[in-house]
Amino acid sequence: MPRRSTSARLAVLLALLIGLFCVPQAQAGQPAPAVKAAGTFRNPLNTGPDPFLTYADGAYRLTTTQGDSIRMWSAPSLGTLLDADPVTVWTDTDPARNQHIWAAEFYRFGNRWYLYYTADDGVDDHHRLYVLESEGGDPTGPYHFKAKLTPPNHANDFAIDPGVFQHNGKLYLAYAGINAYQHNGLNIAPMANPYTVSGDAVALDADGGCPEVREGPEFLNRNGRTWLTYSTCDTGKPDYQLWMLSLPDDADPLTPGNWRRHPGPVFSRDDAKGVYGPGHHAFFRSPDGTQDWIVYHAKTTASNTYGNRTTRAQKIGWKADGSPDLGSPLALGATQDLPSGDPGNGNYWINDDGRSSGAGQVAYQGAWNSGTGCAAQCFWSDDHWSDRAGNTATFTFTGTRIALLSVRDTGNGIAAISVDGGAEQRVDFYASPRTGETLQYLSPRLPSGRHTLRIRVTGEHDASSSASFVSVDRAEVYTD
């Protein structure tokens, strides 16, 4: 996408501000004036955790933990990854390594892709590290099993979160596993090639603000140093966060004393924005190579839970001292500029109050509650909700697909959703604990054009729920 001039950027910003502060609340059935947005996207990119993302061969390539397989999503624009259909690139029949498949990462060496992951036989402590090799140059495969990655001094030890980095022309394997410091501690081992560990692993004693975890090592090399960022605290906690070590370019990574500790977290929860447990991340470059970005998972609840970890991305910067500046995690749904060189997309949003950044609107039938009590858990800090059977909310949009995101809660019930007057699909809006901006529904792909999506309150709920409320918040419309 061509870079906008300063005046054009100011015009877009002014338009957004006008939409935020000056557009009146829409009455039921009456669309509010549209707010234009070009070259933008909103998180989440995926509903899974443990993301790894790179841009290759004209598309963003994303993996997230699926448990029983490795799947990859590909899209020409960052903003259409949630809309993309996954390709299953690996399943395994070997019972020693076909369960709890986590945290895949993939790198190109020569004319092949190498996909690193951890898996077990159903027992967590049996997690080990493995690598696949592609048959050709396509990152989506096909792949074949290549090797088990086993440092000699940890041949039969728990190991997860593999990542590979190059330093002074040599390859190294970094991972989280048993060492003198943690059950999930940082380890680095030398590699003879992308699929062979050539020596013992060394342990890094890393700070973290909590005792139990140092995992998910990732690397940036810039300004004469290799920067190692890693996740600390249990991933179920809202305090899951990123800390950092660094190594001079001329230093040996296998000498633990060469790694410098940097005080305090470099990326952590932001309660005011409704972001909890930001961690397990990776870095990627914009399509034109001029920007650095972070992809990570985070939650919208402060509860200790492994659920609701969704994939998000945002641009990072660099500080005057040469270190990466990861900033603070943005609110889920915050509108961001696409990465430089991204070809763009026609995505737009429709808010529950009628505001839209494109050709969309929403109309309500029946008495609906509305307000701002959901705060950071909602898009534009407001939503609509109802438990009255027969009440409807109808989105009218022009595009090829629509996604619904809103609060799930312990008092939510079942909605019946239909597209263009077709058959209804029952969707349960219940969750415990309560979560915000949760993907409730992603429509089938539709012919390009004008469509309607109707949400009907059924007045029903499952046995776990205390009530039958259905919430309406953000619709994300796709035009790809």
Side-chain angles (χ1 to χ4, degrees):
M1 181 183 69
R3 295 193 176 191
R4 293 192 294 265
S5 67
T6 300
S7 59
R9 290 180 178 274
L10 289 174
V12 171
L13 178 60
L14 180 59
L16 289 173
L17 289 173
I18 290 171
L20 179 59
F21 295 114
C22 299
V23 177
Q25 293 284 313
Q27 299 299 314
Q30 299 297 317
V35 180
K36 274 295 191 184
T40 61
F41 78 101
R42 285 151 296 282
N43 287 313
L45 306 182
N46 189 274
T47 58
D50 305 334
F52 185 85
L53 188 153
T54 193
Y55 185 84
D57 299 335
Y60 298 88
R61 317 290 183 160
L62 170 70
T63 55
T64 63
T65 288
Q66 301 298 302
D68 61 348
S69 63
I70 299 174
R71 298 183 191 121
M72 187 175 293
W73 287 260
S74 301
S77 176
L78 194 68
T80 53
L81 276 170
L82 185 66
D83 169 46
D85 297 318
V87 173
T88 298
V89 300
W90 184 250
T91 57
D92 204 324
T93 58
D94 187 329
R97 58 172 194 255
N98 67 356
Q99 298 185 56
H100 300 157
I101 301 171
W102 297 346
E105 301 196 356
F106 50 100
Y107 307 84
R108 183 167 187 158
F109 297 109
N111 60 355
R112 295 285 187 271
W113 288 88
Y114 293 88
L115 197 157
Y116 302 85
Y117 65 101
T118 182
D120 66 23
D121 58 1
V123 178
D124 183 37
D125 269 347
H126 294 171
H127 266 106
R128 303 292 185 266
L129 307 180
Y130 304 99
V131 59
L132 311 174
E133 182 182 64
S134 68
E135 301 289 344
D138 189 339
T140 63
Y143 285 90
H144 60 265
F145 184 82
K146 188 65 175 178
K148 183 179 181 179
L149 298 173
T150 310
N153 60 332
H154 290 296
N156 297 303
D157 292 338
F158 170 87
I160 61 172
D161 296 353
V164 174
F165 71 103
Q166 291 182 293
H167 188 80
N168 290 334
K170 298 179 181 179
L171 279 180
Y172 297 88
L173 171 71
Y175 66 96
I178 291 174
N179 61 30
Y181 307 109
Q182 285 93 22
H183 181 275
N184 295 23
L186 297 178
N187 300 279
I188 295 177
M191 302 185 77
N193 54 48
Y195 49 86
T196 306
V197 176
S198 58
D200 286 347
V202 300
L204 302 184
D205 187 7
D207 294 331
C210 58
E212 67 267 24
V213 168
R214 310 287 184 267
E215 64 186 13
E218 294 295 333
F219 299 87
L220 289 166
N221 184 267
R222 180 82 64 88
N223 304 322
R225 300 187 78 86
T226 290
W227 309 92
L228 190 172
T229 49
Y230 55 94
S231 303
T232 76
C233 301
D234 187 279
T235 191
K237 292 182 176 180
D239 288 319
Y240 196 58
Q241 58 191 252
L242 301 185
W243 287 57
M244 187 167 67
L245 300 168
S246 70
L247 177 79
D249 281 353
D250 58 356
D252 182 0
L254 299 177
T255 301
N258 288 340
W259 290 93
R260 173 189 166 196
R261 302 183 192 186
H262 292 258
V266 293
F267 200 64
S268 58
R269 63 188 282 177
D270 190 327
D271 295 29
K273 294 178 182 174
V275 181
Y276 303 94
H280 201 108
H281 65 302
F283 299 106
F284 66 99
R285 304 298 298 274
S286 60
D288 66 3
T290 65
Q291 296 172 341
D292 293 296
W293 285 67
I294 185 173
V295 60
Y296 62 97
H297 77 229
K299 301 182 294 186
T300 61
T301 174
S303 298
N304 191 336
T305 176
Y306 296 103
N308 186 234
R309 295 178 294 162
T310 59
T311 291
R312 304 123 185 256
Q314 62 191 70
K315 189 172 69 170
I316 67 170
W318 294 87
K319 296 181 180 179
D321 66 0
S323 64
D325 182 0
L326 307 189
S328 297
L330 297 174
L332 188 61
T335 296
Q336 303 178 60
D337 287 338
L338 287 163
S340 182
D342 188 299
N345 57 66
N347 294 13
Y348 63 93
W349 50 261
I350 307 170
N351 191 42
D352 66 283
D353 68 356
R355 285 176 290 181
S356 177
S357 61
Q361 62 188 71
V362 59
Y364 297 94
Q365 184 176 51
W368 286 74
N369 304 292
S370 64
T372 58
C374 55
Q377 287 190 314
C378 289
F379 187 66
W380 292 106
S381 302
D382 59 7
D383 68 345
H384 279 64
W385 65 97
S386 175
D387 64 348
R388 300 290 183 89
N391 280 3
T392 63
T394 301
F395 286 91
T396 302
F397 63 97
T398 300
T400 57
R401 207 170 198 182
I402 188 170
L404 299 178
L405 300 99
S406 64
V407 168
R408 285 189 182 173
D409 203 355
T410 56
N412 279 10
I414 295 169
I417 298 177
S418 59
V419 177
D420 293 336
E424 290 184 331
Q425 177 179 336
R426 291 167 66 86
V427 178
D428 195 346
F429 282 46
Y430 168 83
S432 179
R434 173 188 169 104
T435 60
E437 289 228 52
T438 307
L439 180 64
Q440 310 278 18
Y441 174 81
L442 180 62
S443 77
R445 294 195 181 278
L446 304 167
S448 181
R450 192 167 177 83
H451 302 280
T452 60
L453 178 144
R454 190 184 74 163
I455 305 166
R456 179 175 64 84
V457 181
T458 66
E460 301 168 348
H461 62 82
D462 63 31
S464 301
S465 183
S466 61
S468 302
F469 287 98
V470 170
S471 59
V472 176
D473 186 14
R474 168 165 63 115
E476 188 79 12
V477 178
Y478 299 92
T479 61
D480 56 320

